[in-house]
Amino acid sequence: MASQPAAPETDPGCRVLGLRERKKQRTRDSLVAAAHALFLDRGYGDTTIDEIAAAVDVSQRTFFRYFANKEEVALAVMADAEDFFIACLRERPAEENPLQAMRASITEAWRTLGSGRSSGPGSVTAALELFELIENTPTLLAAHLRRATEQEGVVARVLADREGLDPATDLRPRLLAAVLGSVVRISHLSWGADGAANDAGPDGMIELIERHFDQLGPALAGSWRE
């Protein structure tokens, strides 16, 4: 029986990549993976761009073709996961309300990135490791919060487009986008402090995200004294 052709490689936005783009994507992924491993092993501050480039056997000049600075390569794991989430959100059924679409998209993204890929720059494991690194590195935390603000704007525009709203005059898309970011961050902090969830890895994180979404409505509109 003839072997089946390999599935075409895609980027975080799910585009099929050509040969040249695949080579570039592999170089980028190698730089991200090398940087990630070095940051976890040596710490963010003690790792240099030259060391990252050397680990992939490329020049510093090649590194700067892909990333503007060390912060950008450090946050690339999170950026790719966020891009994948946005792609999922754009594809959610129109009949879902905004909160349903966001909840389904974030859990779909975590499950998809966690299925069949336990390690590497695009994995949920790498994202969870990066969360830990960010929380313990002030420089990265500041950069991550800046990016999170930008990401909220992207999510808000997607939600506004789905609902036919103007996000400049209707506050709901931006509000829900900010809520999403808070749910993910609080879920991660809970994951880090919960031994059982931590041991469960990505599945534990997904369970916490679902639990926090379940609590969102009562927390916003319900009585806290019952």
Side-chain angles (χ1 to χ4, degrees):
M1 180 182 295
S3 61
Q4 295 297 317
E9 294 183 52
T10 61
D11 67 0
C14 300
R15 293 184 306 112
V16 175
L17 302 179
L19 177 60
R20 180 180 175 84
E21 288 179 305
R22 290 201 301 272
K23 289 181 177 180
K24 292 175 65 177
Q25 185 67 46
R26 283 194 288 270
T27 300
R28 180 187 181 278
D29 286 348
S30 296
L31 286 167
V32 172
H36 189 75
L38 285 167
F39 294 149
L40 293 179
D41 181 52
R42 302 187 55 190
Y44 176 79
D46 291 332
T47 300
T48 67
I49 289 175
D50 283 337
E51 289 169 334
I52 297 168
V56 184
D57 197 24
V58 299
S59 66
Q60 186 187 87
R61 182 177 179 180
T62 297
F63 174 93
F64 283 117
R65 289 176 186 162
Y66 293 88
F67 302 102
N69 49 48
K70 196 167 68 168
E71 285 180 5
E72 190 173 306
V73 72
L75 296 176
V77 169
M78 201 67 66
D80 289 349
E82 290 164 353
D83 288 345
F84 187 77
F85 159 74
I86 291 295
C88 292
L89 182 59
R90 293 185 192 280
E91 296 300 319
R92 294 308 304 174
E95 60 268 21
E96 291 181 343
N97 68 44
L99 186 58
Q100 289 173 329
M102 286 201 312
R103 177 173 182 164
S105 297
I106 192 66
T107 53
E108 177 188 354
W110 277 87
R111 288 196 177 100
T112 301
L113 294 175
S115 62
R117 190 174 188 180
S118 60
S119 62
S123 71
V124 168
T125 300
L128 290 173
E129 290 170 342
L130 182 58
F131 268 128
E132 294 291 324
L133 184 66
I134 288 170
E135 293 293 338
N136 293 294
T137 309
T139 301
L140 280 183
L141 181 57
H144 174 63
L145 292 176
R146 287 197 303 272
R147 178 174 169 80
T149 300
E150 296 171 358
Q151 188 72 6
E152 284 179 12
V154 176
V155 174
R157 286 193 294 275
V158 173
L159 293 175
D161 289 344
R162 283 175 54 89
E163 301 300 315
L165 304 174
D166 180 357
T169 57
D170 194 314
L171 299 181
R172 288 174 294 178
R174 193 61 183 257
L175 177 60
L176 271 182
V179 166
L180 173 69
S182 297
V183 166
V184 173
R185 185 160 189 261
I186 292 170
S187 296
H188 169 257
L189 293 174
S190 299
W191 179 85
D194 185 328
N198 198 291
D199 290 341
D203 288 339
M205 181 65 170
I206 292 171
E207 182 180 345
L208 285 169
I209 290 173
E210 292 277 19
R211 188 187 308 167
H212 283 99
F213 268 114
D214 286 340
Q215 296 171 345
L216 187 58
L220 292 177
S223 172
W224 293 10
R225 298 182 182 180
E226 295 178 356

